[in-house]
């Protein structure tokens, strides 16, 4: 990794990077507090927290043409996603704003000469218009759900919009009038819309059509260089099979079709490609897992078991009847839950991570599964950190979700998420029916192709990162300034991890460390010569004062669950093992000089 500057994208010079360099402890504090010396230098950020500049540029242009004064615009891939956002705004904002919101849907103009290839891509955008003063509410929806438009989709659709090829599916009134809402259909100009043109105007129109066709050709050629649409279907299939553990890593998607799906490494003989679902990001997989459970089983509270990734808890709390939160994922927590169940309480589903983030705690999935079968609730397990190369959690779950953005991709340049329905699960048929009826495929074609290419060597990368991580764990645990290292191999919940670990599985690429004094943590972090920013699972080592970034406004609350506010999280990469050992040793020496 080359030398990085404050606010530079990680990886550098990458248009759709999903991390940003925050090189010092104080820079992370400055980011959280919105200090200009940090924020003004940021070229990008993690996409659900920092709306990509290409998305903002498109949103601003739509707002300039369709929004009223004082309105802002937020972009979504479909009208149904936009409606969910609008409903969230209306539910959580002041009642007075409800009359000042709306949606404009955009699709390919049917009156334009567009190739079948372009139509098969079906580029759509739905813009939610809302008063600027409720941006914070709209942003909550964007962050929690992962429903927002991807930067590649926005960039491509913006190009079509500029060329006049992407237009409102119904004609909205003037920017000072009420925007259109509800289901949209393509609007074809009727005879009353047509005007007679004089010959000179006709010549100008002909020239305009020619220029539009040339621009379209340019767009399609540009698109073709980056993405052959004929590959998208096979790339999608390859990703799903890779997630199912049924595709060799060197399988080429250039063949005309993939062979029938054979045995898989998930241990589920009935698992099919159709049981794997792809999403634009990991949180969107979790959001839709929750929505699917609600649709399949009815309105009941969920259980968030273990200290959660911040937005998982928010989804369960804000989008449904609420949830019961067990932040320690301990046997005592399970005892308490079992007592409530014995008294007659019933729940929708239990959501947990395996291992958890950032303490790498592993819940007792065997006991959870037994309780779920006895008392009738679903189990949703996030395997992002463990990965199916190392652990088998599908045997205990009804749904297994994962953020493909992380180690599955590794290159830190594309978002994605997945969910697997367990064909042996009690709610399998109900969940399949719920998603068949309600789920939209919003994973953008370009993102699919990048994800497929990135993930071809996924298994070998995980194996190497496992080795590097154990080395770094040893370096840290043996140092006198280190208070505690959190890693599945050394945690007290290791037996729970071992119950799921595959014969050749390791302990993953994520670990966290705390120091005896905050000043030691600060000195270590400022000195360590790695990329420093949000995200995890990258091919390069990525370090972060995670609790500051994820829980800055609730540090005391997090500490109540044993999460030290000065904790440093390390996502270990593919560097040479000796090189990494030296990098961490030097950072520890810097902490020693702080004594």
């Amino acid at each position: 990794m080359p030398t990085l500057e404050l606010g530079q994208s990680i990886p550098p010079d990458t248009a759709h990077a999903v991390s940003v360099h925050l090189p010092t402890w104080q820079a992370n504090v400055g980011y959280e507090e919105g200090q200009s010396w940090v924020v003004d230098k940021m070229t990008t950020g993690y996409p659900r927290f920092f709306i990509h500049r290409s998305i903002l540029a498109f949103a601003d242009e739509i707002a300039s043409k369709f929004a009223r004064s004082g309105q802002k615009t937020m972009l979504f891939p479909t009208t149904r996603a936009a409606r969910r956002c609008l409903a969230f705004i209306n539910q959580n904002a002041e009642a007075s704003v409800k009359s000042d919101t709306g949606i404009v849907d955009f699709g390919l103009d049917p009156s334009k000469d567009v190739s079948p290839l372009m139509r098969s891509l079906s580029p759509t955008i739905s813009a939610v218009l809302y008063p600027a003063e409720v941006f914070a509410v709209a942003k909550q929806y964007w962050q929690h759900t992962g429903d927002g438009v991807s930067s590649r989709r926005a960039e491509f659709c913006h190009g079509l919009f500029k060329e006049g090829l992407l237009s409102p599916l119904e004609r909205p009134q003037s920017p000072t009038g009420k925007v259109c809402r509800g289901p949209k259909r393509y609007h074809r100009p009727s005879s009353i819309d047509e005007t007679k043109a004089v010959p000179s105007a006709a010549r100008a129109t002909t020239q305009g059509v020619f220029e539009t066709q040339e621009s379209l050709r340019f767009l399609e050629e540009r698109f073709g260089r980056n993405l052959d649409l004929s590959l998208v279907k096979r790339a999608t299939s390859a990703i799903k099979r890779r997630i199912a553990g049924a595709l060799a890593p060197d399988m080429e998607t250039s063949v005309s079709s993939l062979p029938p799906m054979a045995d898989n490494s998930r241990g589920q003989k009935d698992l099919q490609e159709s049981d794997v679902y792809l999403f634009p990001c990991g949180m969107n997989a979790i959001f839709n897992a929750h929505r699917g459970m609600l649709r399949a089983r009815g309105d009941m509270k969920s259980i968030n078991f273990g200290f959660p990734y911040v937005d998982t808890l928010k989804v369960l709390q804000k989008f449904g009847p609420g949830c019961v939160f067990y932040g320690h994922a301990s046997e005592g927590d399970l005892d308490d839950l079992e007592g409530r169940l014995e008294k007659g309480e019933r729940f929708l589903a239990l959501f947990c991570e395996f291992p958890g983030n950032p303490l790498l705690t592993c819940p007792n999935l065997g006991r959870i599964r037994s309780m779920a079968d006895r008392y009738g609730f679903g189990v949703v397990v996030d395997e992002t950190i463990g990965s199916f190369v190392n652990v088998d959690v599908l045997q205990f779950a009804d749904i297994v979700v994962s953020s493909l953005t992380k180690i599955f991709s590794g290159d830190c340049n594309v978002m994605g998420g997945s969910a697997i329905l367990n064909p042996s699960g009690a709610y399998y048929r109900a969940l399949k029916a719920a998603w068949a009826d309600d789920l939209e495929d919003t994973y953008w074609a370009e993102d699919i192709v990048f994800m497929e290419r990135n993930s071809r060597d996924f298994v070998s990368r995980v194996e190497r990162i496992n080795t590097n991580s154990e080395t770094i764990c040893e370096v840290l645990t043996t140092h006198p300034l280190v208070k505690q290292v959190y890693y599945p191999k050394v945690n007290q919940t290791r037996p729970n991890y071992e119950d799921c670990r595959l014969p050749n599985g390791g302990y993953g690429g994520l670990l966290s460390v705390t120091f005896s004094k905050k000043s030691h943590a600060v000195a270590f972090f400022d000195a360590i010569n790695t990329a420093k920013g949000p995200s995890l699972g990258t091919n390069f080592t990525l370090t972060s004062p995670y609790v500051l970034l994820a829980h800055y406004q609730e540090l005391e609350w997090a500490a109540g669950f044993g999460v030290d506010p000065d904790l440093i999280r390390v996502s270990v990469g593919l560097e040479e093992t000796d090189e990494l050992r030296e990098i961490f040793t030097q950072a520890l020496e810097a902490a020693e000089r702080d004594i």
Side-chain angles (χ1 to χ4, degrees):
M1 179 68 64
T3 301
L4 298 169
E5 301 295 331
L6 169 64
Q8 189 174 0
S9 69
I10 303 175
D13 304 317
T14 301
H16 301 281
V18 300
S19 190
V20 62
H21 193 54
L22 298 171
T24 65
W25 195 276
Q26 197 56 42
N28 283 269
V29 173
Y31 165 72
E32 285 298 323
E33 295 183 350
Q35 296 174 12
S36 60
W37 70 275
V38 177
V39 177
D40 291 351
K41 291 184 178 180
M42 292 178 64
T43 59
T44 191
Y46 193 75
R48 284 188 304 99
F49 294 83
F50 184 101
I51 300 177
H52 195 277
R53 296 192 187 282
S54 64
I55 299 173
L56 292 176
F58 192 13
D60 287 346
E61 187 161 348
I62 289 175
S64 70
K65 292 178 169 61
F66 300 101
R68 292 191 289 269
S69 176
Q71 284 185 321
K72 291 179 70 70
T73 304
M74 189 165 282
L75 303 185
F76 294 88
T78 67
T79 187
R80 286 162 66 181
R83 284 182 177 185
R84 288 193 292 269
C85 177
L86 193 61
F88 184 82
I89 292 172
N90 289 336
Q91 180 182 349
N92 292 280
E94 296 291 334
S96 59
V97 310
K98 294 182 180 180
S99 61
D100 196 24
T101 59
I103 296 172
V104 183
D105 297 318
F106 297 86
L108 288 174
D109 189 331
S111 67
K112 298 293 175 64
D113 183 16
V114 177
S115 72
L117 186 70
M118 184 68 75
R119 291 218 180 274
S120 68
L121 182 63
S122 188
T124 59
I125 291 287
S126 290
V128 175
L129 277 62
Y130 59 91
E133 60 266 28
V134 298
F135 168 75
V137 177
K139 180 64 164 27
Q140 286 179 38
Y141 184 85
W142 175 282
Q143 176 182 320
H144 297 335
T145 68
D147 252 352
V149 69
S150 86
S151 55
R152 284 187 178 88
R153 180 193 283 259
E155 185 178 74
F156 185 74
C157 289
H158 195 184
L160 296 178
F161 183 78
K162 288 179 177 179
E163 296 297 324
L165 302 174
L166 198 74
S167 60
L169 299 185
E170 282 185 2
R171 295 184 185 275
Q173 297 179 19
S174 68
T176 58
K178 187 177 180 181
V179 297
C180 57
R181 308 186 193 196
K184 304 298 187 288
R185 57 180 174 80
Y186 287 114
H187 178 88
R188 295 183 180 275
S190 63
S191 59
I192 198 170
D193 297 315
E194 297 174 356
T195 57
K196 301 295 183 182
V198 297
S200 60
R203 287 194 296 272
T205 300
T206 301
Q207 178 65 23
V209 169
F210 174 76
E211 290 176 353
T212 297
Q213 290 174 340
E214 285 296 296
S215 297
L216 173 59
R217 188 174 299 115
F218 168 77
L219 281 169
E220 291 190 335
E221 287 175 354
R222 171 189 172 277
F223 193 78
R225 283 198 298 271
N226 291 290
L227 169 64
D228 180 353
L229 275 180
S230 65
L231 290 177
V232 174
K233 185 176 181 180
R234 293 194 297 279
T236 300
S237 181
I239 293 171
K240 289 183 175 184
R241 292 177 180 217
R242 207 162 282 150
I243 292 166
L247 181 68
D250 59 352
M251 172 68 72
E252 287 292 335
T253 57
S254 57
V255 297
S256 59
S257 63
L258 296 178
M261 186 163 155
D263 293 339
N264 62 80
S265 62
R266 294 278 186 173
Q268 294 287 335
K269 65 178 182 179
D270 296 326
L271 184 65
Q272 300 297 317
E273 182 182 319
S274 59
D275 296 325
V276 182
Y277 298 79
L278 301 183
F279 299 87
C281 64
M283 270 314 304
N284 197 244
I286 294 170
F287 176 62
N288 279 293
H290 183 234
R291 291 181 65 239
M293 278 287 182
L294 287 170
R295 196 173 184 90
R297 304 202 59 227
D299 285 353
M300 290 183 281
K301 285 186 177 181
S302 292
I303 304 158
N304 192 134
F305 196 74
F307 191 82
Y309 179 69
V310 58
D311 289 308
T312 300
L313 180 58
K314 301 302 183 186
V315 162
L316 301 183
Q317 289 174 332
K318 296 182 179 182
F319 297 91
C323 79
V324 174
F325 176 46
Y326 289 101
H328 297 285
S330 64
E331 291 299 311
D333 284 346
L334 285 179
D335 291 341
D336 184 85
L337 174 59
E338 191 160 22
R340 299 174 73 155
L341 291 164
E342 287 176 349
K343 292 177 181 178
E345 280 193 72
R346 290 297 178 263
F347 297 96
L348 178 74
L350 181 148
F351 288 72
C352 67
E353 300 169 0
F354 195 93
N357 180 17
L359 299 183
L360 288 303
T361 302
C362 297
N364 186 340
L365 291 184
R367 185 178 174 189
I368 289 170
R369 180 72 265 166
S370 177
M371 290 168 60
D373 292 340
R374 192 180 323 135
Y375 297 106
F377 59 85
V379 178
V380 181
V381 181
D382 185 342
E383 69 169 12
T384 300
I385 295 171
S387 91
F388 67 82
V389 176
N390 293 322
V391 293
D392 172 20
V393 298
L394 185 59
Q395 60 180 315
F396 299 113
D398 295 284
I399 306 177
V400 172
V401 296
S402 184
S403 173
L404 305 182
T405 309
K406 310 305 192 298
I407 199 167
F408 189 80
S409 165
D411 277 344
C412 200
N413 64 359
V414 64
M415 301 282 282
S418 67
I420 304 174
L421 296 186
N422 185 342
S424 301
Y427 308 111
Y428 174 75
R429 292 186 181 277
L431 288 167
K432 288 287 278 191
W435 275 357
D437 183 53
D438 184 60
L439 192 63
E440 292 182 291
D441 180 4
T442 61
Y443 200 18
W444 179 240
E446 278 184 289
D447 293 325
I448 289 171
V449 169
F450 274 90
M451 183 62 73
E452 191 283 319
R453 290 172 180 171
N454 290 355
S455 62
R456 290 179 185 178
D457 61 349
F458 164 63
V459 172
S460 62
R461 285 188 288 108
V462 170
E463 291 170 347
R464 178 170 178 78
I465 286 172
N466 285 340
T467 299
N468 280 346
S469 299
E470 290 197 46
T471 298
I472 298 308
C473 178
E474 182 180 357
V475 169
L476 292 171
T477 53
T478 56
H479 197 277
L481 295 186
V482 169
K483 181 166 64 176
Q484 188 165 353
V485 173
Y486 301 89
Y487 189 58
K489 188 175 182 179
V490 298
N491 281 359
Q492 290 184 351
T493 58
R494 178 175 175 175
N496 295 336
Y497 188 90
E498 296 293 348
D499 286 344
C500 298
R501 188 163 71 94
L502 294 168
N504 296 319
Y507 296 92
L510 193 72
L511 55 86
S512 297
V513 58
T514 56
F515 289 82
S516 301
K517 293 170 57 179
K518 177 179 179 178
S519 60
H520 297 155
V522 173
F524 173 88
F525 179 78
D526 288 353
I528 195 162
N529 186 25
T530 67
K532 303 175 191 178
S535 198
L536 58 91
T538 49
N539 292 338
F540 46 86
T541 298
L542 186 64
T543 312
S544 169
Y546 172 77
V547 185
L548 283 186
L549 286 178
H551 301 284
Y552 191 71
Q553 303 300 327
E554 51 188 17
L555 293 176
E556 187 175 343
W557 171 82
F561 295 98
V563 182
D564 192 316
D566 303 323
L567 175 146
I568 294 171
R569 191 184 72 179
V570 181
S571 176
V572 181
L574 295 171
E575 297 92 343
E576 291 296 324
T577 305
D578 288 343
E579 177 188 351
L580 279 177
R581 183 186 287 109
E582 181 63 21
I583 287 171
F584 278 79
T585 299
Q586 290 179 0
L588 288 167
E589 290 172 353
E592 291 172 3
R593 291 193 291 272
D594 183 70
I595 296 176

